[in-house]
Amino acid sequence: MKRNNIIKGFLYLGIASFSIGCTNLDEKILDGVSNDTSGGGTINTAALLETAYNGLRDFNGQGGVYALNEMSTDAMVGPTRGGDWDDNGVWRQIHTQTWAPDHGEVRGAWNSLLSNVYNCNLIIENGGTTAQKVEARFLRAWYYYNIVDLFGQAPYRPAGSALTEDPKVWSRSEATDFIISELEAIVNSLPNRTANDASIANKDAAHFLLAKVYLNKGVFKASNPAGPYTFDAADMTKVVQHVDAITNTLSTDYWSNFETNNNTSSEIIFSSKNIQGGDGGNMQSKWRMCNHYNQSPSGWNGFTTVADYYSTFNTSDKRISYSTPTILSNFGNPVGFLVGQIKNGKNIDAKGSPKDANGNAYTNLAAGTLNLKDRNGNPLVFTSAITLITSGTTLETAGIRGIKYVPDAVNIEKPDNDLVLMRYSDALLMKAEAITRGGTGTGVATILSNLATRAGVTAAAATLDGIYAERGRELWWEGWRRNDAIRFGKFLAARALKPYASDAKYLLYPIPADALFNSNLSQNPGY
């Protein structure tokens, strides 16, 4: 496949009314121009729709959109551990809010989101079936929502416009209006959510996303990204109405949402599907990114939570630790947040099987009978204390690790866990917040009580501060912390490992330098 005008057109073209014959992910057209006619001049819209769905996996890996949403907050940090995990400071820059327009994870997120918009547009404008077009419009709205949230302005191309022209650009307010109008136009045409499979665009997912947009409308419509934000009562009532239209129910077990067979959870509204032994959607990063090299499963000894964030949980909160005989047998430790002495598990894989002093693997020992050590022979005891640059005896042990998804012991690298993108507990907390901000509705205390009962803790206060704290506990590491922190006015504040208030420019990420070849784009203020 040939690529022309890559820099100018790279991933920003939006709607394109032309034909391509290549849909392989590794050879996907990045610039909107193809001289390849081997496909007979027709577009395989079914394959493109699959590609558009697979784009949801970009929310899964440790970097990109996920890192921008979690590591930029009080919830997650990627410290440098001697020669490990420095990567030119890219993770520390995200956590300390000191990134610049050349940051690789910022560029990766921008390119990913707009590439996925592009794939959706090919389906919509080039002969997709009615059902395919509706699903593609939903997915496009989801990707645009994230562009608006992270970057503010959003490139688009009107149908039929010349490919030699620069794409036009919506302001944040205009893009917000587009997302709402698209979702309201298609919500009733989407299928009902399929039981035991939330991976297909559905009515409940559209209602969830509409609730999310209306809840953030005061932020997205503000003349200044730093506010002040006005949360209109009518918009808050819309949030309540869309949440009430969702047919999901809370699961009785919080961790059923993250098990290997989590597709059966009644709580998951929308997900990215994985099949055991398939390509896995990079789900293994959910345990690799934090686990130590000698753990089962082994990991990359990287990311941790911050002690102050962990301290917001009651130690009896079921959401921070989950253990079954099978989990302990396979992995030696519970899942959730890991602190203290780490033990061996029988499912020690090829990426880093720990050895005894004689070089023999520990797999012949009963899981949990051995206290693991780090690579220098020190006890592998995870501690709450963490610094941005660790050294000495705590080099490999500093920081509380997090495992949100139960590793799939049958296939660690290509697991069965679906990636959760929308969950009913989030919808209920949006409703509680919207009512508290002036929307019409009742039941805030009941929502908080139900979530607390499931978690085995006392209910949060029915105030905005209480709801913000509960969102942090209920949705830890699920990709919403930055969005919440901005809406609640907490994002820029001084905190542990960032002892200063950040400049307001960091409420939006910069437009990557390459994208500015589009003359209709301008850099976000302050960069």
Side-chain angles (χ1 to χ4, degrees), residues 18-208:
F18 57 90
S19 299
I20 62 172
C22 172
T23 57
N24 185 293
L25 271 173
D26 294 330
E27 297 181 342
K28 182 171 54 182
I29 294 176
L30 300 181
D31 63 347
V33 178
S34 173
N35 295 324
D36 184 353
T37 58
S38 61
T42 60
I43 288 180
N44 185 339
T45 53
L48 275 172
L49 186 60
E50 181 179 357
T51 298
Y53 274 110
N54 285 342
L56 296 170
R57 294 172 176 176
D58 293 347
F59 292 79
N60 180 33
Q62 66 194 20
V65 174
Y66 181 74
L68 300 189
N69 279 326
E70 288 292 339
M71 194 166 288
S72 61
T73 75
D74 60 341
M76 179 184 285
V77 63
T80 292
R81 301 179 186 275
D84 292 342
W85 281 102
D86 184 63
D87 297 335
N88 295 316
V90 295
W91 308 112
R92 287 184 281 118
Q93 289 167 11
I94 297 175
H95 185 74
T96 58
Q97 298 175 0
T98 55
W99 55 76
D102 61 350
H103 197 287
E105 299 303 325
V106 174
R107 181 175 61 252
W110 171 268
N111 289 344
S112 167
L113 291 169
L114 283 161
S115 177
N116 287 313
V117 167
Y118 168 79
N119 286 325
C120 293
N121 284 329
L122 287 176
I123 300 162
I124 295 164
E125 295 299 322
N126 290 276
T129 67
T130 299
Q132 288 172 346
K133 288 180 180 180
V134 171
E135 290 179 45
R137 289 173 72 182
F138 169 81
L139 291 172
R140 184 176 62 179
W142 165 258
Y143 292 126
Y144 264 132
Y145 169 83
N146 284 275
I147 294 167
V148 168
D149 185 27
L150 294 170
F151 297 99
Q153 54 194 305
Y156 73 100
R157 182 177 292 283
S161 59
L163 297 178
T164 55
E165 297 177 0
D166 285 335
K168 298 183 182 300
V169 176
W170 281 313
S171 68
R172 201 179 202 190
S173 177
E174 292 168 336
T176 300
D177 290 339
F178 171 77
I179 296 166
I180 291 173
S181 65
E182 275 288 274
L183 290 170
E184 290 180 341
I186 65 172
V187 61
N188 292 324
S189 299
L190 285 163
N192 294 326
R193 180 177 49 85
T194 301
N196 298 330
D197 185 3
S199 67
I200 303 300
N202 59 79
K203 285 185 175 69
D204 289 340
H207 284 300
F208 178 100

Side-chain angles (χ1 to χ4, degrees), residues 353-488:
S353 299
K355 305 292 194 300
D356 64 20
N358 298 317
N360 299 315
Y362 289 134
T363 51
N364 61 328
L365 297 177
T369 62
L370 178 73
N371 290 338
L372 291 178
K373 296 182 179 181
D374 67 15
R375 294 179 295 178
N376 295 316
N378 301 310
L380 189 59
V381 179
F382 293 151
T383 63
S384 59
I386 186 69
T387 55
L388 289 173
I389 300 177
T390 63
S391 61
T393 58
T394 64
L395 183 69
E396 299 179 22
T397 58
I400 300 169
R401 314 307 167 87
I403 304 177
K404 190 67 186 262
Y405 288 78
V406 180
D408 187 344
V410 176
N411 200 325
I412 291 294
E413 295 190 359
K414 299 178 180 179
D416 188 45
N417 318 65
D418 290 350
L419 173 66
V420 180
L421 296 168
M422 302 178 185
R423 200 152 60 82
Y424 188 54
S425 63
D426 184 354
L428 291 175
L429 285 168
M430 286 195 286
K431 177 180 177 179
E433 180 184 340
I435 294 171
T436 307
R437 291 192 187 277
T440 300
T442 60
V444 173
T446 300
I447 289 170
L448 296 172
S449 176
N450 288 341
L451 293 177
T453 298
R454 182 171 72 170
V457 295
T458 302
T463 63
L464 286 176
D465 283 345
I467 292 167
Y468 177 69
E470 184 65 6
R471 287 189 64 83
R473 292 185 289 262
E474 176 68 21
L475 303 168
W476 68 269
W477 287 21
E478 292 185 50
W480 295 111
R481 188 61 171 173
R482 172 189 168 275
N483 178 265
D484 291 343
I486 290 174
R487 193 172 62 255
F488 281 86

Side-chain angles (χ1 to χ4, degrees), residues 264 357 523:
T264 62
Q523 186 56 272

